[in-house]
Amino acid sequence: MAYTTINKSTDYFNTKLYTGNGSTNAITGVGFQPDMTWLKIRTQSYSHRIYDAVRGATKYIHPDSSEEQYTTATSLTAFNSDGFTLGSNAGDNKSGDTFASWNWKAGTGQGSSNTDGSINTTYTSANTTAGFSISQYTATGNNATVGHGLGVAPKMILFKNLNRTSSNAQSWGVYHQALGNTKFLQLDTTGAENQTSPTSLFFNDTSPTSSVFSIGTNNRVNADAGDTYIAYAFAEKTGYSKFGSYTGNANADGTFIYTGFKPAWFMFKDTESTTSWIIKDNKRLGYNGIVPHLQANTNDAENTDGWSEVDFLSNGIKLRNADNSMNKSGSKFIYMAFGQSLVGSNNVPCTAR
């Protein structure tokens, strides 16, 4: 077993719920300065938004859309030591509506160029303890490698072309170790696992290493020379994060997913069927039992119809419904899960609370 030495409890992920006020709104209580903040209005059909410190405040991309990056002066205006500040834009801060924000800590700030790959990143912000990095790079249109700064191989990477306009848009690309280096998923669609022909077009048939990830010439990862991309890379950390797969059993006494920690956030997708990416967290009411869920690939409001029941347990996740979207018999589902904190000392495995 690998051990991590940490002297005190440190938060690297947190869900923060808030209510919009339609004006300047300083959101506090995150517990750290976030480097990536994913926002979704819970009560309206507005798109999800992802902000990060590498691209800078006021710049966002939609997980549920193939559209390009947008810049809005009245959106998320700053990352602060205990949260973030919002302007008046309704997509982030509609007066009287409730929002979920999911926050991750990378390297605290924009970072610097990583030169480990054949493409030097413009900026890479990396947190080797938490296993999370954000890299911005410019496409070459040729097979390439890009440094991620994690020191270990990432298990999951989310890619987005920032330049392609809505008239020539490109979907998100998703690498997950459970699918290998010849298949991919798209975060903004319900599509099943996909495979290019030849397979090398996406990840060049090469799994990530401790220093770089490989990209082919597909538009979702490395299009025409000059296009700008963002990549969110996640490595697994004992007691804090887990990236794996499970097989559905179509039973209300569903599959148990061992994580080794109490989950705070869980996103999953059936890789073999056209189903949504389902997101659950430990802050919205009912996470043990009838769980409100949001869907990463759609702008729909929060769903409370009850089919997505799960239990967040001290060491994993128990599925409590036979619905095909979460527990289809024989289907392979991939997932990513986070606890809130890494807590440890010498020779003691970390445990997320």
Side-chain angles (χ1 to χ4, degrees):
M1 178 182 288
Y3 297 95
T4 302
T5 300
I6 299 174
N7 294 323
K8 62 179 181 178
S9 170
T10 304
D11 288 353
Y12 294 114
F13 170 82
N14 200 2
T15 297
K16 176 65 180 178
L17 307 180
Y18 65 92
T19 300
N21 67 7
S23 183
T24 301
N25 197 357
I27 308 301
T28 60
V30 172
F32 54 87
Q33 180 170 321
D35 293 298
M36 184 174 86
T37 295
W38 180 337
L39 305 175
K40 177 66 177 83
I41 188 169
R42 300 167 63 189
T43 48
Q44 304 281 344
S45 296
Y46 286 35
S47 282
H48 297 248
R49 295 181 175 190
I50 290 180
Y51 297 87
D52 65 67
V54 168
R55 292 178 295 122
T58 74
K59 297 178 173 65
Y60 58 89
I61 44 181
H62 298 303
D64 53 273
S65 171
S66 60
E67 293 180 358
E68 73 274 23
Q69 173 179 272
Y70 290 90
T71 302
T72 302
T74 56
S75 59
L76 186 149
T77 59
F79 294 103
N80 306 320
S81 61
D82 190 32
F84 50 90
T85 299
L86 302 170
S88 60
N89 189 271
D92 310 288
N93 191 24
K94 190 173 188 291
S95 182
D97 283 274
T98 57
F99 290 77
S101 76
W102 303 304
N103 302 274
W104 286 263
K105 186 174 180 60
T108 309
Q110 195 169 54
S112 58
S113 177
N114 181 300
T115 59
D116 291 340
S118 60
I119 295 176
N120 295 337
T121 66
T122 308
Y123 301 105
T124 294
S125 178
N127 185 335
T128 57
T129 303
F132 174 50
S133 73
I134 307 167
S135 295
Q136 181 177 309
Y137 62 93
T138 302
T140 62
N142 300 309
N143 292 339
T145 57
V146 179
H148 53 68
L150 293 176
V152 295
K155 295 293 185 71
M156 188 169 182
I157 310 174
L158 309 178
F159 297 87
K160 184 67 181 78
N161 186 318
L162 302 179
N163 301 125
R164 292 297 176 109
T165 63
S166 55
S167 62
N168 191 20
Q170 292 297 330
S171 285
W172 288 71
V174 179
Y175 166 83
H176 195 287
Q177 57 88 22
L179 298 181
N181 57 40
T182 64
K183 296 179 180 179
F184 66 92
L185 289 164
Q186 299 174 133
L187 184 63
D188 54 304
T189 78
T190 61
E193 65 185 37
N194 211 331
Q195 197 167 33
T196 59
S197 181
T199 57
S200 60
L201 288 177
F202 225 89
F203 306 119
N204 202 22
D205 292 348
T206 305
S207 298
T209 71
S210 60
S211 58
V212 300
F213 55 80
S214 294
I215 49 178
T217 57
N218 186 277
N219 284 334
R220 295 169 186 81
V221 294
N222 187 21
D224 298 333
D227 277 9
T228 303
Y229 286 80
I230 200 76
Y232 303 111
F234 300 91
E236 198 166 275
K237 293 296 178 179
T238 300
Y240 167 68
S241 60
K242 189 77 173 177
F243 308 88
S245 64
Y246 68 89
T247 302
N249 67 7
N251 194 309
D253 182 17
T255 301
F256 172 72
I257 304 160
Y258 177 78
T259 60
F261 56 87
K262 187 172 185 177
W265 192 88
F266 177 48
M267 181 168 75
F268 60 91
K269 169 78 174 78
D270 185 346
T271 67
E272 299 171 9
S273 303
T274 54
T275 57
S276 287
W277 294 80
I278 306 300
I279 301 173
K280 304 180 182 299
D281 61 62
N282 66 345
K283 297 294 177 68
R284 288 176 292 146
L285 289 175
Y287 70 88
N288 277 7
I290 298 177
V291 186
H293 68 264
L294 289 161
Q295 300 169 83
N297 55 278
T298 176
N299 67 1
D300 288 354
E302 187 173 78
N303 189 311
T304 58
D305 62 11
W307 62 258
S308 59
E309 296 160 284
V310 301
D311 286 348
F312 283 179
L313 305 176
S314 62
N315 62 348
I317 299 156
K318 176 69 172 177
L319 306 184
R320 295 293 188 187
N321 198 291
D323 190 89
N324 282 343
S325 294
M326 66 183 298
N327 198 16
K328 184 179 180 181
S329 180
S331 274
K332 180 178 182 178
F333 292 75
I334 59 99
Y335 69 86
M336 60 192 304
F338 296 90
Q340 182 171 325
S341 304
L342 284 167
V343 186
S345 58
N346 287 339
N347 296 323
V348 178
C350 293
T351 303
R353 70 167 182 254

